[in-house]
Amino acid sequence: MSLRYKKKKIVLCFDKENKVEKYVAANVLAGSLNYKKLCDEVNQRTGIHRSMVDVVLKGLQDTMVSFLEEGFSVKLDEFGSFRPAINAESQDKEDDVNIHTIIRRKIVFTPGSKFKAMLGGASIELFGDGTTITESGNNGGASGGDSGGEAPDPAA
């Protein structure tokens, strides 16, 4: 497996007068897999009828939502875990922290061992300019522990 990236220019605005231009590697996706195709693929790999796959996945989703709404982390063994989280603005005084300082609610996914192993073994390729530069993996995603971090938005 190979992860592809392109070079992307970003502009950092630390203040109004000083804009700093930098370049970063940005992920390039091969496409997306919709729910119907996912159910069909699970059917092909397991022999379980597509409608049964659909029922199980929707039941899993409903059950996870119920527990996440109550503040639980949901761990799915080697798949990974999901947990509710918030982003909030920092305040100078404790008394200033309230519901209005919370700026975002989200679900954080922390990949399990199979996803970490897949990422750790993935090669990296430069995509786009007609040349392909490939580097072996083993340095990204194979770290242990629950970092509590957040995956980047694939739409960005």
Side-chain angles (χ1 to χ4, degrees), residues 30-42:
S32 64
L33 184 69
N34 67 32
Y35 182 78
K36 180 185 178 322
K37 180 69 174 164
L38 179 66
C39 289
D40 289 342
E41 288 293 320
V42 172

Side-chain angles (χ1 to χ4, degrees), residues 83 108-111 116 143-150:
R83 64 182 170 82
V108 176
F109 171 68
T110 303
K116 288 181 181 180
S143 62
D146 184 3
S147 66
E150 178 181 3

Side-chain angles (χ1 to χ4, degrees), residues 1-155:
M1 188 196 94
S2 180
L3 299 173
R4 290 178 280 174
Y5 74 96
K6 63 183 177 183
K7 297 173 184 177
K8 180 179 175 182
K9 180 166 77 169
I10 61 171
V11 178
L12 304 173
C13 300
F14 295 112
D15 58 42
K16 292 180 182 180
E17 294 87 36
N18 298 322
K19 292 182 181 178
V20 179
E21 292 182 353
K22 297 283 185 174
Y23 292 87
V24 297
N27 190 41
V28 176
L29 296 176
S32 64
L33 184 69
N34 67 32
Y35 182 78
K36 180 185 178 322
K37 180 69 174 164
L38 179 66
C39 289
D40 289 342
E41 288 293 320
V42 172
N43 165 253
Q44 292 295 316
R45 292 175 189 234
T46 65
I48 297 171
H49 193 276
R50 188 198 171 298
S51 63
M52 292 301 293
V53 172
D54 177 56
V55 167
V56 169
L57 288 176
K58 287 184 177 173
L60 175 65
Q61 178 186 10
D62 291 345
T63 304
M64 288 177 63
V65 166
S66 294
F67 282 101
L68 289 167
E69 284 177 336
E70 294 188 29
F72 285 89
S73 171
V74 178
K75 297 179 193 239
L76 301 175
D77 200 26
E78 293 179 3
F79 188 87
S81 64
F82 296 81
R83 64 182 170 82
I86 57 173
N87 285 13
E89 296 173 334
S90 63
Q91 303 298 311
D92 293 329
K93 296 186 288 183
E94 182 178 355
D95 290 341
D96 292 338
V97 175
N98 59 43
I99 195 169
H100 301 293
T101 62
I102 297 172
I103 55 176
R104 183 171 170 219
R105 301 172 222 184
K106 60 188 177 180
I107 301 294
V108 176
F109 171 68
T110 303
S113 58
K114 285 194 174 191
F115 287 119
K116 288 181 181 180
M118 180 268 306
L119 286 174
S123 61
I124 308 285
E125 281 183 357
L126 176 60
F127 178 81
D129 63 359
T131 60
T132 301
I133 302 169
T134 304
E135 299 176 23
S136 292
N138 295 337
N139 63 353
S143 62
D146 184 3
S147 66
E150 178 181 3
D153 181 4

